[in-house]
Amino acid sequence: MIHGWSALGGLTMPGWEDELERWLMPFLDRLGHKTRQRMCPLYVAGLIGPGDRKSVQPMAERLATSNYDQLHHFIADGVWDATPLETELLNQADRLVGGRDAVLVIDDTSLPKKGERSVGVAAQYASALGKTANCQTLVSLTLARGEVPVMVALRLFLPNSWTSDISRLKRARVPVEHRTPRSKPEIALAEIDRAMAANVRLGCVLADAGYGLSAPFRQGLTERGLAWAVGIPRHLKVYPVDVKLIWPITKVRGKPRKHHVPDILSIAAEQMLASARWKTVSWRSGTKGRLKAQFAALRVRTADGPPQRIWDKGQQHLPGDEAWLIGEQRASGEKKYYLANLPAATDLRTLAATIKARWICEQAHQQLKEELGLDHFEGRSWQGLHRHALMTMIAYSFLQHRRLAYAGRKKKNQRASASTNHARRTSRHRRSHPSAAVSAVLPKTNP
């Protein structure tokens, strides 16, 4: 990959519209209706094409089409199920980048929004702005391999100010099944289930501390048989890997204890790694050279087992599964902490490279917003927002298809060129210094 690659730059050369029509055929087959089959390519082409604003009206004007009403109806009001297209997107993503060495990155992205009528908008932390602001928040899933990301899911998170107001939900046409409160980790697990149902191939699930601090989220990944590596806050509790469960000894007579307790109390992640050996690790090349930081890793037991009263310490979580506790110290001095259920034999560089692979989703978020207009939707409904987001993901997937095809052709041409040059050098070499076998059949000349 060329770092800083643009989703559009250099890949929307002449002829891409015809290729888009062909590439979209599996999606169009799932749409069924002829008018929808005509509107879908128009909408995706409008997202990919030139222009700063990627909402319906300016796209319709740039496309020189008189179908503004139909285009708007298709995305905002039309009666059609997006599920078949979402499934096809998973199929195409798996074909492009799926595999045992692929990662599935869980994150969320914010869409700054004014007013209070647009679905899900509320004062909440906006990652794009680095502060609390009026915005919508989408939980995202990104499948990536070889530093090539494909966004496969964007699902709106509804804050309590929405789920507790049925009139707001009805006005924004939120489906009944999405009106109950769900945390971001719960939304992410539901989207992971969709990906697994579509047989998407992946090696590891990655997430930041916003998801990693949730014990039910980590346990949900483990229950699904998935490998994972997630960020955690520095104060998250863990146990030494050799912790033992014992019968508590009490000095006061009374009923005998019915439950074991750990022979040592859990401690914060940063305290567990305080005396660990830190080592400089480089995990990949960046635009300014090799990327590196200080890392340390220990095998621990997570403190996310059933809650139990332990001596005079009150309720404490018992030891859970064994995992890697990993610390990262950056050049700035900032420290980050992670948990991973990767095998005990995993080396430090692999742990570091796996953790740092999460950065690729940030690039995808940026490109979907800046180049494909993810945050340009001007409607207020649940359905319209999710359909617009789906079209941006389909457009992005098409561009990644072109990118990989272009890289494949370039590599093939380089091999062909190298083979030709090698043949020419060999040919020149043989003419200058013929072998004994060739010399035997060449006509002899007089000295």
Side-chain angles (χ1 to χ4, degrees):
M1 169 186 177
I2 300 174
H3 297 285
W5 171 85
S6 165
L8 302 179
L11 292 182
T12 53
M13 62 279 287
W16 66 268
E17 294 96 336
D18 293 337
E19 186 179 350
L20 175 63
E21 290 269 5
R22 294 191 297 271
W23 187 83
L24 282 175
M25 285 307 299
F27 293 93
L28 303 184
D29 289 342
R30 289 175 179 259
L31 272 173
H33 194 276
K34 289 184 178 179
T35 301
R36 293 195 290 266
Q37 288 178 337
R38 190 170 73 253
M39 291 301 107
C40 180
L42 277 176
Y43 200 93
V44 175
L47 296 172
I48 295 174
D52 293 332
R53 194 69 190 165
K54 302 297 177 73
S55 54
V56 178
Q57 185 169 350
M59 286 198 302
E61 291 173 356
R62 287 193 297 270
L63 291 167
T65 176
S66 58
N67 291 321
Y68 165 76
D69 290 337
Q70 287 184 315
L71 204 61
H72 180 271
H73 181 79
F74 166 72
I75 210 70
D77 300 317
V79 181
W80 55 274
D81 184 7
T83 303
L85 269 68
E86 292 170 343
T87 301
E88 186 58 37
L89 175 62
L90 289 166
N91 294 339
Q92 294 298 327
D94 179 73
R95 184 180 62 82
L96 289 171
V97 295
R100 294 181 62 185
D101 54 345
V103 295
L104 185 66
V105 187
I106 313 301
D107 205 346
D108 48 71
T109 188
S110 57
L111 311 180
K113 201 83 170 178
K114 295 180 180 179
E116 56 182 31
R117 292 292 186 92
S118 295
V119 62
V121 70
Q124 53 192 319
Y125 181 76
S127 56
L129 303 175
K131 62 180 181 181
T132 298
N134 223 41
C135 66
Q136 297 163 312
T137 298
L138 297 168
V139 175
S140 72
L141 272 66
T142 306
L143 187 69
R145 179 167 57 89
E147 299 184 12
V148 178
V150 177
M151 192 78 68
V152 295
L154 287 166
R155 194 70 66 195
L156 184 65
F157 164 72
L158 290 176
N160 181 63
S161 58
W162 275 82
T163 55
S164 61
D165 190 337
I166 189 64
S167 62
R168 265 186 123 185
L169 295 171
K170 287 181 177 179
R171 189 167 56 240
R173 291 182 286 166
V174 176
V176 174
E177 63 271 21
H178 292 290
R179 293 179 184 177
T180 54
R182 288 198 303 169
S183 67
K184 294 176 188 177
E186 287 172 334
I187 294 171
L189 287 174
E191 295 304 305
I192 289 170
D193 287 339
R194 280 203 314 109
M196 294 180 69
N199 297 315
V200 172
R201 296 165 296 159
L202 60 107
C204 190
V205 175
L206 309 178
D208 67 10
Y211 295 84
L213 62 80
S214 168
F217 177 72
R218 300 193 306 267
Q219 292 163 349
L221 295 177
T222 300
E223 289 165 2
R224 287 161 173 77
L226 297 168
W228 49 264
V230 299
I232 57 169
R234 59 187 175 83
H235 54 74
L236 192 79
K237 297 292 186 69
V238 294
Y239 288 93
V241 72
D242 56 356
V243 63
K244 294 180 176 60
L245 292 177
I246 60 173
W247 288 109
I249 300 173
T250 60
K251 297 179 181 179
V252 182
R253 290 185 179 183
K255 292 182 180 180
R257 295 295 179 89
K258 295 181 179 180
H259 302 286
H260 289 86
V261 297
D263 63 347
I264 186 172
L265 293 175
S266 60
I267 61 174
E270 65 174 346
Q271 186 179 349
M272 181 67 78
L273 286 176
S275 59
R277 181 187 174 192
W278 294 73
K279 182 180 178 182
T280 300
V281 175
S282 173
W283 61 90
R284 70 173 176 85
S285 294
T287 54
K288 299 180 180 179
R290 295 293 298 177
L291 300 179
K292 58 186 178 180
Q294 291 267 313
F295 287 89
L298 289 174
R299 294 294 285 178
V300 298
R301 295 276 296 278
T302 56
D304 57 10
Q308 170 68 35
R309 181 177 175 81
I310 301 177
W311 296 304
D312 60 346
K313 303 299 181 182
Q315 291 281 350
Q316 302 281 316
H317 283 279
L318 294 177
D321 294 334
E322 188 173 319
W324 280 106
L325 171 64
I326 306 140
E328 175 196 3
Q329 181 168 311
R330 300 175 179 176
S332 63
E334 180 185 20
K335 286 186 177 180
K336 295 287 187 179
Y337 297 89
Y338 311 86
L339 281 175
N341 72 338
L342 300 182
T346 307
D347 61 88
L348 188 59
R349 185 179 181 280
T350 299
L351 291 173
T354 302
I355 289 164
K356 302 303 287 187
R358 193 177 60 82
W359 73 275
I360 200 70
C361 77
E362 297 173 5
Q363 180 195 72
H365 289 159
Q366 182 181 0
Q367 291 171 345
L368 260 75
K369 291 176 185 178
E370 294 181 357
E371 303 182 18
L372 297 173
L374 172 62
D375 53 351
H376 292 182
F377 181 67
E378 295 177 350
R380 294 173 173 174
S381 71
W382 169 281
Q383 178 174 268
L385 174 64
H386 282 91
R387 287 178 178 176
H388 173 76
L390 175 59
M391 293 299 127
T392 64
M393 290 188 288
I394 291 173
Y396 190 67
S397 182
F398 167 69
L399 292 172
Q400 295 293 47
H401 153 76
R402 282 183 66 86
R403 172 189 177 188
L404 291 170
Y406 173 78
R409 289 193 299 269
K410 186 176 180 181
K411 191 172 182 180
K412 183 177 180 180
N413 290 339
Q414 287 174 342
R415 286 199 301 265
S417 177
S419 177
T420 301
N421 290 338
H422 175 73
R424 286 173 178 169
R425 289 194 300 270
T426 303
S427 178
R428 287 196 298 269
H429 176 77
R430 286 177 174 171
R431 281 195 297 268
S432 301
H433 307 282
S435 66
V438 174
S439 299
V441 296
L442 287 176
K444 294 186 181 296
T445 56
N446 293 325

